[in-house]
């Protein structure tokens, strides 16, 4: 009997300890808004490496950034940064992101957002306009850093 009670107490303590590792819905929504604002800031006509570095600072060291539709994954911050810095050569006419809907789970947020922009990539001779609704899931680690991004492009 004592052994059963001890096991039950250990189980409850381990469960309550892990509950402290989760964030509230409000905290997760704020983290999602911070991510979207950082993503938007690095895509502006006047963006610099400062905005890119801030965006990357939101990621855990062992992050996964998965572009589901294109079957492409980033797991290396230096490679991600390098690719983002190269995009600074593009001519951004305008870019905006509007959050349409947010859904919250245990340390995960799903963000439905509309991305609108007009860009002339450095490697193309033409301007590209886009207006897409995308869904992004953001999973957070115990420190509140993004450990997994899944981008479902519209």
């Amino acid at each position: 009997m004592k052994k059963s009670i001890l096991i039950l107490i250990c189980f409850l303590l381990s469960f309550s300890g892990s509950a402290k590792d989760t964030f509230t819905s409000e905290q997760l929504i704020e983290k999602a808004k911070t991510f979207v604002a950082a993503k938007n800031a690095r895509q502006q006509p006047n963006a610099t490496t400062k905005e890119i570095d801030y965006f990357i600072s939101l990621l855990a060291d062992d992050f996964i950034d998965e572009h589901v539709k294109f079957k492409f994954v980033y797991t290396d911050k230096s490679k991600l940064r390098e690719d983002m810095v190269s995009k600074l050569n593009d001519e951004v006419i305008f870019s905006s992101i509007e959050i349409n809907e947010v859904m919250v789970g245990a340390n995960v947020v799903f963000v439905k957002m509309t991305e609108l922009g007009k860009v002339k990539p450095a490697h193309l001779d033409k301007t590209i306009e886009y207006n897409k609704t995308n869904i992004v899931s953001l999973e957070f680690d115990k420190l509140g850093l993004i450990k997994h991004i899944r981008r479902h492009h519209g």
Side-chain angles (χ1 to χ4, degrees):
M1 180 71 173
K2 288 181 182 181
K3 199 174 197 180
S4 297
I5 292 173
L6 181 62
I7 291 172
L8 179 61
I9 290 172
C10 288
F11 175 75
L12 291 174
L13 287 175
S14 68
F15 181 74
S16 66
S18 67
K20 292 176 186 175
D21 295 337
T22 60
F23 296 95
T24 66
S25 292
E26 294 79 16
Q27 289 171 318
L28 290 169
I29 290 169
E30 281 306 309
K31 289 180 177 306
K33 288 179 181 178
T34 299
F35 169 83
V36 171
K39 177 176 172 28
N40 193 42
R42 70 175 177 77
Q43 296 177 172
Q44 294 306 306
N46 59 347
T48 66
T49 56
K50 179 181 174 187
E51 286 79 21
I52 291 170
D53 290 337
Y54 177 70
F55 178 86
I56 291 173
S57 77
L58 302 175
L59 306 176
D61 287 339
D62 58 347
F63 81 102
I64 299 170
D65 184 353
E66 180 179 3
H67 297 253
V68 176
K69 180 179 179 179
F70 303 112
K71 296 177 172 70
F72 184 80
V73 176
Y74 278 106
T75 57
D76 181 343
K77 283 185 179 183
S78 61
K79 176 63 175 152
L80 176 62
R81 185 181 189 283
E82 177 184 318
D83 288 353
M84 286 181 176
V85 168
S86 73
K87 287 188 176 195
L88 291 177
N89 295 320
D90 295 348
E91 179 188 346
V92 178
I93 293 105
F94 71 88
S95 179
S96 70
I97 303 173
E98 179 184 333
I99 295 175
N100 306 100
E101 194 174 340
V102 177
M103 194 167 95
V104 177
N107 279 359
V108 67
V109 178
F110 295 88
V111 181
K112 181 179 177 183
M113 58 189 170
T114 300
E115 298 188 50
L116 185 65
K118 187 172 182 179
V119 178
K120 184 184 173 302
H123 66 283
L124 293 177
D125 291 335
K126 65 179 183 174
T127 301
I128 297 172
E129 290 189 58
Y130 57 91
N131 182 354
K132 295 281 186 183
T133 299
N134 300 311
I135 296 174
V136 174
S137 67
L138 306 170
E139 295 177 41
F140 297 91
D141 67 11
K142 294 176 184 181
L143 300 174
L145 297 172
I146 299 168
K147 68 178 181 179
H148 199 154
I149 303 169
R150 286 186 182 88
R151 300 171 191 262
H152 301 272
H153 298 274

